[in-house]
Amino acid sequence: MQPPLENESIVLVFTLSGLNETMGNRFVFFSLTALYYPLIVLCNVTIIYTVISHKKLHEPMYVFICNLCMNGLYGTAGFYPKFLYDLLSQCHMISYAGCLVQIFVIYSSVLCDFSTLTVMAYDRYVAICRPLEYHSVMTSQRILECILFCWLSPFFCMCVVIVLTSKLTLCGSSIEKLYCENWSVVKLSCFSTTVNNVIGYVIIIIYFGHAVLIFCSYIQLIGKCKKSTEGRNKFIQTCVPHLLALLNVTVALLFDVLYTRYGSKSLPQDLRNFMALEFLLVPPMLNPLIYGLNLTKLRKEVMRLFLFFFKKEVEIRE
């Protein structure tokens, strides 16, 4: 049995030190965040409402886009409200339980993004390469199975991660980020974290493997679509947005992984904060914009929705 360490203690609260050097501009950051977060919510809710309220959009591709936007709301809810509070507070702290919940929400959301983009790639593969079988393959039951896969597999992975992290004995309570991140907590452990490291790398490899498989499948789709003008048009309209979304979330998570595990403290804190926040800033906004602007059927319904509310507003004022 290993003897107790002098610095070993029961950690009840973590200190988040990511804002320490930028507090002089906190009201500017608060104003920008207070504008940006409602905009994220508006864009995602608009896509969700449009898909749900129009029967002609009740197709697999639009259901998966709706799921992607729901996940965007879920993930950002784990960060932005706490971040806004911290910007107005002199003391940036989070409870031990709150920290684990934030880790679970933020990172299960990122993994759910990858899972959703994976099933969307499968949907596009069937639609383009096996068009005659599409409706027999993408049944309501298959869609439900895909949605469950999108949420349950990330939840399972993060439950394993959180259980392993919660069993660690910690010798510190300072996290050098704007939010709770699993590796930052694991590094505070008094003892070996080999199991946590192995599980973490396995999950990273699995989900980056998702991205590699999707890119490989799209190479086949490109070859298939070259053969006809209709195929090229379908690829440009439905697959290019998907590739942009995939590239977006992959680069964003890569930034976070590299910064967290290998980032240098010599970098300016503003740059380090941006690298840590990139996947919470860009994908939740870019995903609804990519699909809302590029997919013709969805864009038309969104425009009709805004015109409807605009007319209602004019009538009320008159």
Side-chain angles (χ1 to χ4, degrees), residues 37-285:
Y37 180 47
L39 193 57
I40 288 176
V41 174
L42 175 64
C43 290
N44 284 279
V45 167
T46 299
I47 299 296
I48 294 167
Y49 177 80
T50 303
V51 172
I52 291 175
S53 61
H54 293 86
K55 286 188 177 181
K56 62 182 177 181
L57 295 179
H58 292 179
E59 299 175 11
M61 180 175 66
Y62 297 108
V63 171
F64 296 142
I65 291 170
C66 184
N67 188 67
L68 198 64
C69 292
M70 287 180 177
N71 181 54
L73 293 177
Y74 162 70
T76 52
F79 169 72
Y80 282 97
K82 176 69 171 70
F83 181 58
L84 285 167
Y85 175 80
D86 283 345
L87 286 170
L88 295 180
S89 174
Q90 294 293 335
C91 185
H92 311 133
M93 307 182 84
I94 186 169
S95 68
Y96 182 87
C99 184
L100 295 184
V101 169
Q102 189 174 57
I103 291 169
F104 181 89
V105 171
I106 290 175
Y107 285 92
S108 63
S109 171
V110 177
L111 299 185
C112 185
D113 260 354
F114 275 102
S115 298
T116 304
L117 292 168
T118 301
V119 299
M120 289 173 75
Y122 173 71
D123 172 70
R124 290 301 84 204
Y125 169 79
V126 176
I128 293 173
C129 296
R130 298 159 59 188
L132 299 179
E133 303 172 41
Y134 182 73
H135 292 291
S136 61
V137 173
M138 297 304 295
T139 60
S140 298
Q141 183 178 348
R142 179 62 58 82
I143 295 170
L144 179 60
E145 290 171 355
C146 288
I147 296 294
L148 289 175
F149 166 75
C150 291
W151 289 95
L152 295 183
S153 55
F155 279 12
F156 173 76
C157 289
M158 288 311 302
C159 280
V160 173
V161 168
I162 294 299
V163 167
L164 289 174
T165 301
S166 66
K167 292 182 179 297
L168 295 174
T169 302
L170 306 181
C171 286
S173 61
S174 179
I175 296 175
E176 297 177 355
K177 293 190 80 167
L178 299 171
Y179 57 91
C180 278
E181 185 270 330
N182 190 64
W183 181 244
S184 298
V185 176
V186 170
K187 286 191 295 186
L188 299 174
S189 174
C190 305
F191 306 114
S192 171
T193 59
T194 302
V195 176
N196 301 71
N197 292 341
V198 169
I199 295 298
Y201 279 118
V202 167
I203 292 172
I204 289 169
I205 290 169
I206 288 172
Y207 278 91
F208 275 115
H210 282 38
V212 172
L213 286 173
I214 295 169
F215 281 121
C216 290
S217 69
Y218 268 73
I219 291 173
Q220 290 185 322
L221 285 177
I222 291 170
K224 181 78 174 179
C225 292
K226 280 181 180 179
K227 297 176 182 178
S228 68
T229 304
E230 183 183 352
R232 284 196 297 272
N233 291 337
K234 185 181 286 188
F235 181 85
I236 290 170
Q237 188 177 49
T238 63
C239 297
V240 170
H242 180 263
L243 280 174
L244 289 173
L246 178 64
L247 185 64
N248 178 27
V249 72
T250 303
V251 170
L253 187 58
L254 192 60
F255 260 120
D256 182 68
V257 170
L258 292 177
Y259 162 69
T260 300
R261 293 180 179 250
Y262 311 110
S264 171
K265 291 184 180 179
S266 63
L267 292 174
Q269 190 174 56
D270 287 341
L271 178 59
R272 282 185 280 148
N273 286 344
F274 174 77
M275 290 176 70
L277 287 180
E278 209 269 338
F279 72 95
L280 287 164
L281 288 170
V282 183
M285 176 63 79

